[in-house]
Amino acid sequence: MKILVTGGAGYIGSHTVIELQAAGHDVVVVDNLVNSSEIALKRVEKITGKEIPFYKVDIRDRESIDRVVHQFKFGCCIHFAGLKAVGESVFLPWEYYNNNITGTLVLLDVLKKNSCKNIIFSSSATVYGNPAVVPITEECPKGECTNPYGQTKSMLEQVMMDMQKADVVSSDPNPWNIVLLRYFNPIGAHKSGTIGENPNGVPNNLMPYITQVAVGKLERLGIFGCDYDTPDGTGVRDYIHVVDLARGHVKSLKAIEEKCGVEIFNLGTGVGYSVLDVVKAFEEENGVKVPYVIKERRAGDIAECYSDPSKAYEKLGWKAEYGIVEMCRDSWKWQKNNPNGFEE
Ligand code: NAD
Ligand code: UFG
């Protein structure tokens, strides 16, 4: 299938491009490079041995995005483009709503006008808020999002569901097919160690913080709280290897091909690890020390969040193959080989 990948130069997008090409799909990437580097795509080309048509386009720029969509006649769009820093979104709400909401609205309109009404959207487990029960199934109600970033994911899910519903109600002969993928906590990197997550400034997320401590860029990890109601008191999350996550997108094309209407899938492993579990696994697998200090709880954090990923297995035949050992190994390989990210 010919697939438009928005945000394809970013962390999850670049890994997904590899898996799409490996599965025989034709990929075109658009990205405005606000949080990524074209070097990532060059490295992907090296890994796959295939060229990636790339357009430096902001998805809010209707004319430019229309030109690309019109030219290629895509079978599906996989939509990663967006701003994603939870903490930053609290201080820059307008920028987050403008980029993520306006950008997606323009993209959806352009896709529709060009009769490409198939989309796979990067949503997040954050839409569940503080879950009443774990593991979280797709049936669990959405919860309160405590930050503008999370709001954009929740709102955009609703926008797309409403657009699909309108097509059904009006018996549109070419209705939308929409797959909403709720990612849990993606970490890890491609096994080559040449692409990976490259956060700007001091990382907010656990794994990039750990790897930057291990490589000597940061002194020690701060663990946000040790008094949660979890086995060791630290927060529990469902970490998923980014390559497994990428493959989840390839498998989701099956739902699109089967004209799914709207489908929601959790993409996680179903296993929860605490912060201390991750630190220990990282140290053991890589033979490096990660000094840490216990700090106050971080505002907005929840105790436990992990998925029931069985729907994706039943309907798409997808399940995560890698465990915490591979996640720690590959995150470290990327960081060790690229202490300054994509700077060459
Ligand atoms: P990323 O920042 O590495 O990738 C996003 C890409 O989108 C970047 O390359 C950026 O330059 C591009 N982009 C942003 N705004 C754009 C615009 N207006 N026009 C064109 N390109 C634009 O982030 P990621 O971790 O790869 O995340 C990909 C998607 O998955 C995002 O939508 C994110 O919200 C979502 N998500 C990520 C996580 C996570 O923990 N990484 C968890 C849940 C959901
Ligand atoms: N943590 C620390 N120290 C740090 C960073 C994190 O102790 O320096 C802890 C957190 O308190 C939490 C766990 O590590 O218990 C994971 O935190 P992350 O910041 O890595 O991830 P979150 O679960 O908070 O959020 C991430 C993304 C969200 C996404 C969510 C679910 O940042 O965008 O996963 O997919 F919505």
Side-chain angles (χ1 to χ4, degrees):
M1 197 187 289
K2 198 169 269 293
I3 298 169
L4 172 64
V5 180
T6 73
Y11 172 47
I12 304 170
S14 56
H15 287 84
T16 303
V17 168
I18 294 174
E19 300 305 320
L20 287 168
Q21 288 193 326
H25 297 289
D26 276 343
V27 176
V28 174
V29 169
V30 302
D31 198 302
N32 67 355
L33 304 180
V34 66
N35 196 38
S36 52
S37 163
E38 209 177 330
I39 296 169
L41 289 175
K42 294 281 161 238
R43 294 190 182 177
V44 169
E45 286 179 338
K46 224 172 184 176
I47 291 167
T48 64
K50 288 184 191 148
E51 215 181 305
I52 305 163
F54 169 63
Y55 296 85
K56 185 168 181 249
V57 163
D58 190 305
I59 55 167
R60 289 166 294 179
D61 174 354
R62 179 183 293 272
E63 252 175 58
S64 303
I65 193 79
D66 185 63
R67 210 170 301 129
V68 177
V69 173
H70 188 75
Q71 181 185 342
F72 286 98
K73 315 232 174 307
F74 295 106
C76 183
C77 171
I78 304 185
H79 177 33
F80 295 102
L83 299 176
K84 63 155 185 179
V86 172
E88 183 184 66
S89 78
V90 175
F91 296 98
L92 298 173
W94 186 87
E95 285 75 4
Y96 271 70
Y97 288 117
N98 180 40
N99 192 78
N100 294 5
I101 304 274
T102 310
T104 304
L105 292 181
V106 170
L107 176 71
L108 289 167
D109 196 37
V110 167
L111 290 172
K112 183 177 168 185
K113 287 209 167 105
N114 288 281
S115 300
C116 171
K117 292 173 74 178
N118 295 323
I119 189 164
I120 297 173
F121 176 62
S122 300
S123 188
S124 167
T126 198
V127 302
Y128 293 114
N130 193 354
V133 284
V134 282
I136 304 171
T137 70
E138 294 82 355
E139 303 297 313
C140 290
K142 292 208 301 191
E144 201 195 327
C145 293
T146 51
N147 58 80
Y149 163 73
Q151 296 282 11
T152 68
K153 293 294 173 195
S154 188
M155 287 180 194
L156 288 170
E157 283 197 355
Q158 192 62 48
V159 168
M160 286 183 236
M161 287 194 280
D162 288 345
M163 288 172 67
Q164 204 277 336
K165 203 195 274 173
D167 280 356
V168 174
V169 172
S170 64
S171 304
D172 190 302
N174 177 30
W176 281 97
N177 293 295
I178 292 165
V179 177
L180 305 173
L181 297 179
R182 293 178 177 162
Y183 310 159
F184 282 69
N185 290 51
I187 59 172
H190 187 263
K191 65 177 189 303
S192 64
T194 59
I195 60 167
E197 188 171 12
N198 183 32
N200 277 328
V202 179
N204 296 302
N205 297 115
L206 180 64
M207 186 52 88
Y209 208 107
I210 289 178
T211 60
Q212 291 201 14
V213 169
V215 86
K217 288 178 84 176
L218 296 167
E219 205 183 327
R220 61 172 64 87
L221 171 72
I223 295 182
F224 299 137
C226 64
D227 56 353
Y228 284 106
D229 185 15
T230 60
D232 64 22
T234 66
V236 167
R237 296 291 183 275
D238 184 343
Y239 297 94
I240 172 170
H241 197 294
V242 66
V243 171
D244 276 327
L245 188 69
R247 291 176 182 158
H249 294 74
V250 180
K251 292 282 191 180
S252 296
L253 290 167
K254 178 170 178 276
I256 295 286
E257 277 161 359
E258 289 169 359
K259 306 211 176 299
C260 61
V262 175
E263 282 283 8
I264 300 176
F265 294 105
N266 285 337
L267 294 185
T269 63
V271 183
Y273 287 101
S274 74
V275 178
L276 285 170
D277 288 336
V278 176
V279 170
K280 192 158 167 264
F282 188 92
E283 290 185 332
E284 276 175 8
E285 174 58 21
N286 299 316
V288 285
K289 279 311 250 182
V290 181
Y292 63 81
V293 59
I294 305 290
K295 290 194 172 166
E296 290 293 297
R297 290 182 179 194
R298 181 171 66 178
D301 269 358
I302 55 178
E304 272 193 308
C305 173
Y306 56 94
S307 68
D308 176 343
S310 50
K311 183 181 172 196
Y313 184 62
E314 282 152 21
K315 291 216 167 184
L316 305 173
W318 174 87
K319 71 175 170 27
E321 284 167 21
Y322 297 119
I324 194 72
V325 168
E326 289 92 350
M327 296 182 218
C328 290
R329 181 195 63 203
D330 295 336
S331 293
W332 178 229
K333 189 171 182 190
W334 152 250
Q335 180 75 76
K336 197 174 45 169
N337 293 348
N338 304 271
N340 298 313
F342 289 106
E343 278 171 35
E344 285 187 330

